[in-house]
């Protein structure tokens, strides 16, 4: 399975219930947390569930997840590295 | 006037009753161990070691009852028998609970119609009142993990206002799959025994139990020659107004609650002998509470311990269980140890690791809940400063805004904010924003919500998920407690003032009137919130009022 940014963005939108948003609204390198999209620690937990469900990746370390979930680019890089 | 404590009762993982609790605390007997949850296996919890059947039999109760009711009746009967009140028919009752009858609801989910009448938090309170003979006004508070301490605060306010002469106050909560899986979804449950304030802490263990105290005016206690066990000397309720589940780094809400309690009691920080901390053993709470304690007490705070290493985190009962533990410790001259603590973390407080003999006259008891519902109560062994009675003054409505499905929400809610908001939450947000705009206010001084079913749509989605073997979504669990509305609005408006959630109508209005009368708040936001619900047949209701003094 090849992960596309488009797919991942769609999964993020569904998991976080970002209604009215399309994959085009999320920039590949824009920060997802804080000043960027404005996600918080609970969204990070939801993203961990996305990783587990769709990619079989279990993230548990809070600091690591912060780094991995920085942007769509960093998420894709991490998924690719776990192949 | 002074508020005297004349009775107390408790049941938790470390004992059925005050005596057993005292022995466990003294001997450092931890109540936390492995217990099996259907479907999720063994979990580390503070379980009360008696099953429902035995509990009911011991209490002489027929028929199936929620476990929180059975635990509640047990603790309440002990408190009442200790208080030796001849006629309890006029006694008030303030009860804190979040799960209510959730244990029966989740166990019999396929026959929910049969058990639905036992689900509500207020039903749980009524059943405890009925089975203890307490026949006065019954009030139910649901502010998540601070419910029981807020019950003690509201009960004290009722006495100060002369509304009732004697009140039983506290809370009850039983273990449920709902809570266990919900807290696990937040990633804050430790598989090992919890280690509050320890550098290696890794989350909480849930617990269960109930505790109540009987309070009355000192005058009334003396008149009937009752033994006075201690005094409620001061209390504070504030809102962290930061996040629904995370605590602010500087512990603002906790700090404000402690300062309010100290000011009311007229006690200097150096005169507090012991702090029974909230200390859940999560990374965030213990750090934030440490910061808050140091902000209030300086670099050398009094002796501190969290007793959750004994009982587990008993959520809505914890404030009362820990008040009774503090009372027991004070009366018997010891400070309970902070179980499993061994390694200090930079900038954090160092708790008392082991139970030690010590004269204790004044205790501060902290209890913090989801949504930043932070409260602190000071109990003392001997009479301290007299409290001002509350002389209720007339209030007037400044503005009232009602919303119904289909009303426009666009202007006030950004798309990113909307991601976790049910339709009803959006409507209540818009109503609150419009009410403030009409009143010409930036924010209210206090927010009080009335809701019977609370966030029932989110709770039902979680229950449906559990039924289908799905993982609990953390974003749903964080918004499943009754107090989600009051705290959501506090976060939005940056309102650090008094914040509470009642389950039955009328109680919130009385509370607001007291706050205005005593000058704690000038403008109080009163919210009525109910979702459309088919099973319990509730109609949606979204009303926001702002009231002030005349």
């Amino acid at each position: 399975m090849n992960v596309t940014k488009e797919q991942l963005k769609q999964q993020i939108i569904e998991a976080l219930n970002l209604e009215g948003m399309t994959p085009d609204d999320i920039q590949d390198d824009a920060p997802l947390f804080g000043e960027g999209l404005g996600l918080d620690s609970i969204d990070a937990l939801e993203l961990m569930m996305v990783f587990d469900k769709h990619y079989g990746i279990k993230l548990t370390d809070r600091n690591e997840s912060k780094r991995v979930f920085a942007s769509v680019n960093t998420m894709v890089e991490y998924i690719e590295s776990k192949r | 006037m002074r508020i005297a404590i004349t009775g107390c009762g408790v049941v938790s993982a470390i004992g059925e009753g005050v005596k057993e609790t005292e022995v466990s605390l003294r001997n450092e007997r931890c109540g936390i161990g492995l217990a099996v949850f259907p479907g999720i296996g063994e979990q580390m919890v503070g379980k009360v070691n008696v099953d429902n059947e035995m509990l009911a039999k011991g209490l002489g109760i027929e028929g199936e009852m929620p476990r929180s009711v059975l635990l509640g009746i047990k603790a309440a009967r002990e408190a009442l028998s200790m208080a030796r009140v001849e006629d309890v028919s006029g006694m008030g009752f303030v009860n804190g609970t979040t799960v209510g009858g959730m244990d029966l609801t989740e166990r019999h989910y396929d026959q929910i119609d049969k058990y639905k009448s036992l689900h509500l938090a207020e039903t749980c309170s009524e059943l405890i009142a009925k089975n203890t003979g307490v026949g006065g006004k019954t009030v139910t508070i649901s502010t998540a993990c601070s419910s029981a301490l807020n019950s003690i605060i509201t009960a004290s306010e009722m006495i100060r206002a002369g509304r009732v002469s004697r009140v039983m106050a506290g809370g009850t909560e039983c273990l449920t799959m709902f809570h266990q899986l919900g807290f696990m979804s937040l990633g804050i449950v430790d598989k090992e025994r919890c280690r509050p304030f320890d550098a290696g802490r890794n989350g909480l263990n849930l617990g269960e139990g109930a505790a109540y105290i009987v309070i009355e005016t000192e005058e009334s206690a003396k008149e009937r020659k009752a033994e006075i066990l201690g005094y409620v000397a001061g209390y504070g309720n504030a809102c962290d107004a930061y996040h629904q589940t995370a605590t602010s780094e500087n512990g603002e809400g906790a700090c404000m609650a402690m300062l309010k309690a100290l000011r009311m009691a007229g006690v200097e920080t150096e005169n507090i002998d012991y702090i029974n901390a909230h200390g859940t053993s999560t990374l965030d709470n213990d750090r934030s509470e440490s910061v808050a304690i140091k902000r209030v007490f300086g670099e050398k705070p009094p002796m501190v311990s969290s007793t959750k290493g004994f009982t587990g985190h008993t959520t809505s009962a914890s404030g009362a269980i820990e008040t009774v533990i503090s009372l027991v410790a004070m009366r018997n001259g010891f400070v309970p140890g902070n179980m499993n603590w061994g390694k200090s973390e930079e900038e954090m407080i160092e708790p008392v690791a082991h139970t030690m003999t010590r004269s204790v006259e004044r205790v501060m008891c902290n209890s913090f809940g989801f949504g930043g519902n932070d409260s602190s109560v000071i109990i003392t062994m001997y009479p301290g400063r007299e409290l001002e009675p509350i002389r209720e003054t007339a209030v007037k409505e400044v503005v009232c805004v009602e919303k119904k499905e289909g009303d426009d929400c666009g202007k006030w809610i950004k798309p990113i904010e909307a991601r976790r908001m049910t339709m009803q939450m959006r409507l209540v947000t818009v109503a609150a924003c419009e009410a403030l705009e009409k009143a010409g206010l930036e924010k209210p001084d206090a927010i009080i919500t009335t809701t019977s079913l609370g966030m029932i749509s989110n709770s039902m989605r979680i229950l449906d998920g559990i039924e289908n073997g799905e993982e609990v979504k953390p974003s749903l669990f964080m918004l499943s407690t009754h107090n989600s509305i009051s705290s959501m609005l506090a976060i939005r408006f940056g309102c650090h003032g008094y914040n509470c959630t009642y389950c039955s109508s009328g109680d919130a209005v009385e509370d607001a009137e007291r706050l205005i009368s005593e000058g704690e708040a000038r403008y109080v936001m009163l919210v009525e919130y109910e979702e459309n619900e088919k099973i319990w047949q509730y109609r949606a209701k979204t009303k926001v009022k702002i009231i002030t003094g005349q």
Side-chain angles (χ1 to χ4, degrees), chain B residues 236-527:
Chain B
N237 162 316
C239 189
D240 205 30
Y242 176 73
H243 187 269
Q244 289 285 0
T245 52
T247 45
S248 63
E249 272 176 38
N250 65 356
E252 186 67 12
C255 193
M256 287 174 76
M258 287 188 269
L259 286 171
K260 274 190 195 178
L262 285 164
R263 211 175 305 131
M264 179 175 167
V267 171
E268 298 297 325
T269 50
E270 58 265 32
N271 292 327
I272 295 290
D273 303 309
Y274 164 58
I275 301 172
N276 185 296
H278 186 55
T280 56
S281 190
T282 64
L283 297 178
D284 287 345
N285 175 82
D286 293 5
R287 171 158 279 273
S288 164
E289 188 173 9
S290 288
V291 172
I293 287 174
K294 285 191 176 181
R295 277 176 70 190
V296 173
F297 290 90
E299 278 304 310
K300 286 203 164 59
M303 287 193 280
V304 183
S305 71
S306 159
T307 44
K308 288 187 172 69
F310 280 98
T311 60
H313 185 0
T314 57
T315 55
S316 278
S318 65
I321 288 177
E322 288 156 24
T323 296
V324 172
I325 284 177
S326 299
L327 196 60
V328 165
M330 189 165 73
R331 291 187 56 77
N332 294 284
F334 69 89
V335 167
N338 188 104
M339 301 290 279
N340 309 322
W341 182 85
K343 194 165 166 244
S344 57
E345 184 173 309
E346 213 182 326
E347 291 173 12
M348 279 184 47
I349 54 129
E350 289 195 10
V352 175
H354 293 285
T355 299
M356 60 164 76
T357 304
R358 191 62 58 102
S359 156
V360 177
E361 290 182 12
R362 296 175 199 89
V363 183
M364 173 179 271
C365 194
N366 286 343
S367 205
F368 311 146
F370 272 11
N373 272 154
D374 297 344
S375 289
S376 185
V377 166
I378 294 172
I379 58 168
T380 62
M381 181 94 145
Y382 304 107
R385 186 167 86 176
E386 294 220 28
L387 303 175
E388 284 289 318
I390 301 170
R391 293 194 173 78
E392 288 182 67
T393 54
V395 299
K396 64 175 181 198
E397 185 180 303
V398 179
V399 59
C400 176
V401 178
E402 252 185 285
K403 289 283 162 193
K404 56 182 192 313
E405 205 173 322
D407 288 349
D408 180 36
C409 300
K411 179 183 163 193
W412 301 98
I413 301 166
K414 292 183 216 140
I416 191 73
E417 287 174 333
R419 71 195 187 284
R420 291 176 191 150
M421 293 167 111
T422 59
M423 174 50 64
Q424 210 67 20
M425 291 176 89
R426 294 173 199 197
L427 292 172
V428 80
T429 304
V430 174
C433 291
E434 284 184 12
L436 284 176
E437 195 180 51
K438 282 186 184 162
L441 296 170
E442 252 179 55
K443 59 180 167 188
D445 302 312
I447 302 172
I448 309 174
T449 298
T450 304
T451 180
S452 177
L453 268 177
M455 307 297 296
I456 192 70
S457 57
N458 281 352
S459 298
M460 293 306 282
R461 281 179 66 189
I462 293 172
L463 285 167
D464 286 339
I466 295 176
E467 188 75 359
N468 297 326
E470 292 163 13
E471 265 189 87
V472 173
K473 271 176 84 68
S475 52
L476 283 181
F477 183 67
M478 75 183 279
L479 291 170
S480 68
T481 53
H482 286 65
N483 61 336
S484 300
I485 297 301
S486 267
S487 35
M488 173 184 73
L489 296 175
I491 294 165
R492 168 171 283 264
F493 304 128
C495 176
H496 289 287
Y498 182 92
N499 193 296
C500 200
T501 300
Y502 290 89
C503 294
S504 31
S505 59
D507 301 329
V509 181
E510 283 183 18
D511 198 14
E513 287 169 356
R514 286 190 297 264
L515 290 176
I516 292 168
S517 303
E518 64 186 304
E520 163 97 10
R522 247 182 101 192
Y523 293 97
V524 179
M525 179 176 275
L526 280 171
V527 182

Side-chain angles (χ1 to χ4, degrees), chain B residues 160-219:
Chain B
R160 279 177 70 202
R163 288 262 177 170
V164 60
S165 57
R166 219 166 275 129
V167 189
M168 178 167 74
T172 181
E173 198 97 300
C174 66
L175 291 166
T176 56
M177 293 276 285
F178 186 92
H179 257 180
Q180 185 68 24
L181 290 168
F183 279 95
M184 281 165 74
S185 80
L186 297 177
I188 53 172
V189 172
D190 197 342
K191 289 192 177 83
E192 308 290 317
R193 286 196 177 87
C194 69
R195 288 146 280 164
F197 297 107
D198 186 86
R201 70 193 178 284
N202 192 27
L204 55 81
N205 307 132
L206 284 179
E208 64 179 356
Y212 296 98
I213 58 172
V214 174
I215 57 172
E216 56 195 296
T217 61
E218 184 183 34
E219 210 180 349

Side-chain angles (χ1 to χ4, degrees), chain A residues 14-21 37-46 49 52-53 58 62, chain B residues 185-187 243 245-246 283-284 415-416 418-421 426 461 471-476 478:
Chain A
E14 269 165 38
L16 306 186
N17 196 29
L18 302 173
E19 58 180 71
M21 281 184 83
L37 193 54
L39 303 183
D40 67 12
S41 56
I42 300 295
D43 295 304
L45 294 170
E46 294 283 355
M49 286 173 73
D52 187 17
K53 189 173 150 194
K58 285 196 194 300
R62 283 211 299 189
Chain B
S185 80
L186 297 177
H243 187 269
T245 52
L283 297 178
D284 287 345
I416 191 73
R419 71 195 187 284
R420 291 176 191 150
M421 293 167 111
R426 294 173 199 197
R461 281 179 66 189
E471 265 189 87
V472 173
K473 271 176 84 68
S475 52
L476 283 181
M478 75 183 279

